[in-house]
Amino acid sequence: MKIIVGKEIEQVCPQFVGVYVEAQVVNTAYCQPLWDEINQLGEHFRATLTTEQLKDISGIAATRKVYRACGKDPSRYRPAAEALVRRLLQSKELYQIDTLVDLINLASMSFGYSIGGFDADKFVGDTLQLGVGREGEPYEGIGRGMINIAGLPVYRDEIGGVGTPTSDHERTKISINTCHLAVIINGYDGDEKRVQDNAEFIQKLLRKYAESDGGSYFLFR
């Protein structure tokens, strides 16, 4: 897969660095040891973090800044990492989807980056381009119906949008039958080491919980 960062993103976030992780996996409906890790993280956050401090986490703060620069209100269209951690801080249950989605959510919350998770076999073409959503651009968010992505950073394949930091698209979503996983980490704070550590954490989770060798990853700017 080739990933191109468009000029729209370069102009508002010249320090952007992303990571693309790809792996062969086996998905399952539920994994208790994984949820033990998620619950432990929730306990840690509730003991050490407030909802106000949440906005200051580097990856979350940088994503919110890019939303504003692109014309989107980050309090109305929250980046996924922020929305997930906020639920934990409010002692609300996270949505349990399946093992692949759940482990990506764990990785997102652990590092503060909004992470896209996709069934790589559902992409059309061999290139993804990161740009900004346009007025009237059709986009069906997973479990959200049609959403307005104007002003949101968006990855597009050959036929349209597949992922934003707020919601990925129904067309390329992970299912229980997904065996070819693609993950994109969005480092709007430009912290190359931290996004790389996040990728390696995902690989570790895939080895533990998805019968995978962890696959491979590459950085892109």
Side-chain angles (χ1 to χ4, degrees):
M1 180 62 67
K2 179 181 180 182
I3 303 183
I4 299 170
V5 178
K7 294 188 183 301
E8 296 167 301
I9 297 296
E10 289 181 347
Q11 289 172 355
V12 298
C13 190
Q15 74 274 18
F16 173 82
V17 57
V19 176
Y20 182 87
V21 184
E22 192 168 10
Q24 296 296 319
V25 294
V26 175
N27 201 6
T28 53
Y30 181 79
C31 177
Q32 184 61 55
L34 171 60
W35 274 90
D36 290 342
E37 287 198 47
I38 293 171
N39 292 331
Q40 288 170 8
L41 182 65
E43 291 174 4
H44 171 71
F45 280 153
R46 287 187 289 273
T48 61
L49 191 66
T50 68
T51 52
E52 285 305 308
Q53 293 170 330
L54 170 61
K55 295 178 183 178
D56 296 328
I57 293 173
S58 176
I60 292 172
T63 306
R64 290 175 63 89
K65 183 177 179 180
V66 167
Y67 273 36
R68 291 191 192 95
C70 292
K72 209 67 167 177
D73 180 357
S75 294
R76 184 177 178 191
Y77 292 84
R78 294 191 191 279
E82 179 186 352
L84 288 166
V85 178
R86 184 176 289 271
R87 288 190 69 85
L88 289 183
L89 292 177
Q90 295 172 340
S91 297
K92 295 179 180 177
E93 289 188 4
L94 295 184
Y95 301 109
Q96 191 277 313
I97 308 299
D98 56 49
T99 296
L100 291 178
V101 174
D102 298 342
L103 72 81
I104 290 168
N105 286 343
L106 172 58
S108 177
M109 294 184 293
S110 296
F111 285 80
Y113 293 121
S114 292
I115 300 175
F118 311 93
D119 186 320
D121 291 335
K122 296 178 181 177
F123 289 144
V124 178
D126 61 1
T127 302
L128 296 175
Q129 180 149 348
L130 176 58
V132 177
R134 298 180 289 266
E135 288 292 343
E137 183 172 0
Y139 189 94
E140 185 178 0
I142 296 174
R144 301 165 71 106
M146 300 303 291
I147 63 174
N148 176 14
I149 64 167
L152 282 180
V154 57
Y155 289 93
R156 300 181 180 95
D157 67 4
E158 197 172 285
I159 64 173
V162 298
T164 76
T166 290
S167 176
D168 292 328
H169 197 286
E170 281 280 353
R171 175 169 62 87
T172 50
K173 74 177 181 181
I174 294 166
S175 76
I176 196 67
N177 298 316
T178 294
C179 58
H180 184 192
L181 177 69
V183 178
I184 300 177
I185 304 167
N186 296 289
Y188 288 99
D189 61 355
D191 191 335
E192 181 174 318
K193 183 179 186 307
R194 188 162 175 80
V195 295
Q196 190 167 330
D197 287 345
N198 200 168
E200 291 171 359
F201 181 62
I202 289 170
Q203 289 183 304
K204 176 183 175 183
L205 293 176
L206 292 175
R207 286 190 287 266
K208 288 171 69 175
Y209 301 127
E211 298 183 32
S212 175
D213 65 2
S216 60
Y217 71 84
F218 63 82
L219 296 167
F220 62 93
R221 296 180 183 277

